[in-house]
Amino acid sequence: MQGASHMLLEEPLRLASVLAPAKPKVFPSLTKIVGTLGPKSHSVEVIQECLTAGMSVARFDFSWMDAAYHQDTLNNLRKAAQNVKKLCPVMLDTLGPEIQVHNSTGEPIELKAGNHVIITPDISKAPSAEILPIKFADLAKAVKKGDTLFMGQYLFTGSETTSVWLEVVGTSGENVNCLVKNTATLAGHLFTLHASQVHISLPTLSEYDKQVISTWGSRNSVDIISVSHTRSAEDVRELKTFLQSHDLPDTQIYAKIENSEGLDHFDEILKEADGIIISRGDLGIDLPPENVFMFQKTAIYKCNLEGKPVIVTRVVDSMIDNLRPTRAEATDVANAVLDGSDGILLGAETLRGLYPVDAVSTVGRICAEAETVYNQPLLFKKVMWHVGDPMPHEESVASAAVGSAIKVKAAAIVVFTFSGRAARLVSKYRPTMPVLAVIFPREGSDPSKWRSYGTTQARQCFAVRGVYPLMGSTDEAETGGLTKEEYGIKLALNYGRSVGIVKPFDRVIIFEKIGDSSVVKIVECEG
């Protein structure tokens, strides 16, 4: 477990340094920002502004709206990315075993503390303060007297006035009788029901999810699939098999941990998944409030040791309606960075919030500031200890690259890679400078397929802390007759100069694999 020394200050922090005007940053934070695209971030113009502000990954949440709407949004994302000359991975977020209440009229439903409400699978009933129909027939079999249920508008904030806590009083056939614990108004067309620490007998990968992945996901060659309510490693294995059968073998799987079952099987899920999303919305309901921080810190630490990307959600909910986050939220973002998070996921803040671009830029600034006091030496030592002796060759060279970069105060680390794995390995040791990953085609690969394959691997790197991918080439027309190494260095340095991270006489570390060996070199930029 990471201790309290996750923050490092090179000198005593003076009040003057806090009050001094912030220096403008020419490069985004090392911590990545995932933005959920929706009504307030649908247009080319807004998406373009989000990309410019620092959004690295675009999330498409299929628990609401149809494929046609998401396709229109994706087409706008592609136009925006082309306009700002940036790659942006597409993350498809599944519905999973979610229990929903459809309020067809959209009229607000007022529930009073002390009253009773019946939850029924009879969807012919109209939602009201007395009865709430759900699309799940076995709730009465799953719950018992005293269990806690939570209901709110999808992407609920947990506000006591817009979400309701229910206590199960008893069951009658398929109906569940509940006591309303707090006065609240349920608004909107869609509510989500969460049963705290109760196993719901719905598959993690629903038939709806399979249909979406096999059509929309396959057609758009999605880069990452976020598996909602992941409960076991078998959930991840099932999706892997499904992806293989639908020509999506390169799509990465990020497991969303958002209930006690996922927490119980976290270690085995971590081994199987490509990345982890700590989804604090439902998790914050499933766990007692005093336990959420402990799971977050422990989970992030385990992901860091394994070198698996980890993303934290629900950080600046107040920015759905406000231009600035609360003091607690700003501190929460910084602590997620100091804990070792690879990314921050914005949900409602960019999907339906009033200030999607400001949410991205504000979170980015907080992340960048936290990175300046991140205790990299501590994490470096713990990862080295975890890997153990003798270290595998690639681990040894990756750690040496990061160590050398810090010692010589390098401006960046340049990594030559085919799949992005080498760049992720370098990121595992948390360098304090950007990692420029030059992704080359594999020897003998079909040039006509390379752009598609290479772009997939490149885009996926955008979810990893500090890694910024560049598309390399072995075509002489593009390389100008330079060797692979010369061309890769030139490509990376030109990019570094263009975004302001590499200046004349700066040092850059080069990490590449030659044959069966990996080597590290130091290059000084020309004046």
Side-chain angles (χ1 to χ4, degrees), residues 182-368:
N182 67 289
T183 298
T185 300
L186 300 178
H189 288 85
L190 183 68
F191 315 135
T192 299
L193 175 71
H194 179 83
S196 181
Q197 299 193 25
V198 171
H199 175 74
I200 299 299
S201 58
L202 288 170
T204 301
L205 195 66
S206 68
E207 289 304 314
Y208 170 74
D209 293 328
K210 291 178 180 178
Q211 184 266 328
V212 166
I213 293 168
S214 63
T215 54
W216 192 90
S218 181
R219 184 169 63 248
N220 292 295
S221 299
V222 294
D223 304 295
I224 300 167
I225 292 180
S226 165
V227 187
S228 295
H229 304 279
T230 303
R231 296 176 282 195
S232 69
E234 185 54 38
D235 292 339
V236 181
R237 288 192 285 268
E238 180 190 349
L239 178 54
K240 280 184 181 177
T241 302
F242 187 78
L243 293 176
Q244 290 282 350
S245 65
H246 287 83
D247 198 29
L248 287 170
D250 299 319
T251 298
Q252 291 186 338
I253 299 172
Y254 278 41
K256 280 180 77 180
I257 308 300
E258 45 192 326
N259 53 43
S260 56
E261 288 178 90
L263 190 156
D264 289 341
H265 300 105
F266 183 79
D267 290 348
E268 63 187 61
I269 292 170
L270 176 59
K271 284 187 174 65
E272 202 69 41
D274 295 300
I276 296 290
I277 297 176
I278 301 175
S279 186
R280 300 189 306 178
D282 284 353
L283 192 64
I285 298 164
D286 228 35
L287 296 178
E290 63 271 20
N291 293 149
V292 176
F293 86 94
M294 186 63 77
F295 170 67
Q296 174 177 318
K297 287 178 177 291
T298 304
I300 291 175
Y301 183 52
K302 288 183 175 184
C303 290
N304 288 170
L305 293 182
E306 294 298 325
K308 297 281 183 84
V310 55
I311 296 168
V312 174
T313 74
R314 305 305 296 267
V315 288
V316 287
D317 284 346
S318 70
M319 287 196 76
I320 296 169
D321 301 307
N322 299 290
L323 192 55
R324 286 166 60 94
T326 65
R327 281 78 61 200
E329 288 172 335
T331 304
D332 191 24
V333 173
N335 280 330
V337 174
L338 295 174
D339 285 343
S341 227
D342 284 75
I344 301 292
L345 190 152
L346 301 176
E349 301 97 326
T350 53
L351 184 141
R352 61 182 176 85
L354 301 179
Y355 309 100
V357 179
D358 292 285
V360 172
S361 60
T362 300
V363 168
R365 289 196 304 273
I366 298 170
C367 290

Side-chain angles (χ1 to χ4, degrees), residues 82-241:
Q82 191 173 23
N83 290 345
V84 296
K85 295 180 172 57
K86 283 184 70 173
L87 295 174
C88 183
V90 172
M91 177 184 283
L92 187 163
D93 197 295
T94 65
L95 172 65
E98 194 166 273
I99 302 173
Q100 297 179 333
V101 177
H102 288 264
N103 181 21
S104 55
T105 66
E107 293 295 319
I109 298 173
E110 294 186 15
L111 299 169
K112 301 288 186 184
N115 289 351
H116 287 77
V117 63
I118 293 172
I119 298 176
T120 178
D122 185 357
I123 58 175
S124 66
K125 303 287 186 184
S128 68
E130 290 75 39
I131 192 163
L132 293 167
I134 61 172
K135 290 188 174 183
F136 179 54
D138 294 332
L139 183 65
K141 297 177 184 176
V143 299
K144 62 183 183 303
K145 183 178 179 180
D147 279 347
T148 299
L149 306 180
F150 178 82
M151 186 178 291
Q153 183 182 14
Y154 181 67
L155 293 174
F156 45 68
T157 64
S159 164
E160 298 296 344
T161 58
T162 60
S163 303
V164 65
W165 292 94
L166 306 170
E167 181 183 321
V168 176
V169 175
T171 61
S172 176
E174 293 184 323
N175 293 341
V176 179
N177 186 22
C178 298
L179 173 67
V180 179
K181 301 291 285 184
N182 67 289
T183 298
T185 300
L186 300 178
H189 288 85
L190 183 68
F191 315 135
T192 299
L193 175 71
H194 179 83
S196 181
Q197 299 193 25
V198 171
H199 175 74
I200 299 299
S201 58
L202 288 170
T204 301
L205 195 66
S206 68
E207 289 304 314
Y208 170 74
D209 293 328
K210 291 178 180 178
Q211 184 266 328
V212 166
I213 293 168
S214 63
T215 54
W216 192 90
S218 181
R219 184 169 63 248
N220 292 295
S221 299
V222 294
D223 304 295
I224 300 167
I225 292 180
S226 165
V227 187
S228 295
H229 304 279
T230 303
R231 296 176 282 195
S232 69
E234 185 54 38
D235 292 339
V236 181
R237 288 192 285 268
E238 180 190 349
L239 178 54
K240 280 184 181 177
T241 302

Side-chain angles (χ1 to χ4, degrees), residues 342-398:
D342 284 75
I344 301 292
L345 190 152
L346 301 176
E349 301 97 326
T350 53
L351 184 141
R352 61 182 176 85
L354 301 179
Y355 309 100
V357 179
D358 292 285
V360 172
S361 60
T362 300
V363 168
R365 289 196 304 273
I366 298 170
C367 290
E369 201 64 32
E371 288 160 8
T372 65
V373 292
Y374 176 71
N375 196 340
Q376 188 273 345
L378 177 65
L379 191 278
F380 189 92
K381 289 175 185 175
K382 290 188 175 182
V383 174
M384 293 279 282
W385 176 84
H386 177 73
V387 173
D389 290 323
M391 292 184 78
H393 177 70
E394 288 188 346
E395 292 270 3
S396 175
V397 181

Side-chain angles (χ1 to χ4, degrees), residues 46-60:
V46 174
I47 296 174
Q48 194 167 310
E49 287 185 66
C50 285
L51 288 170
T52 303
M55 183 179 79
S56 294
V57 181
R59 173 175 173 257
F60 293 77

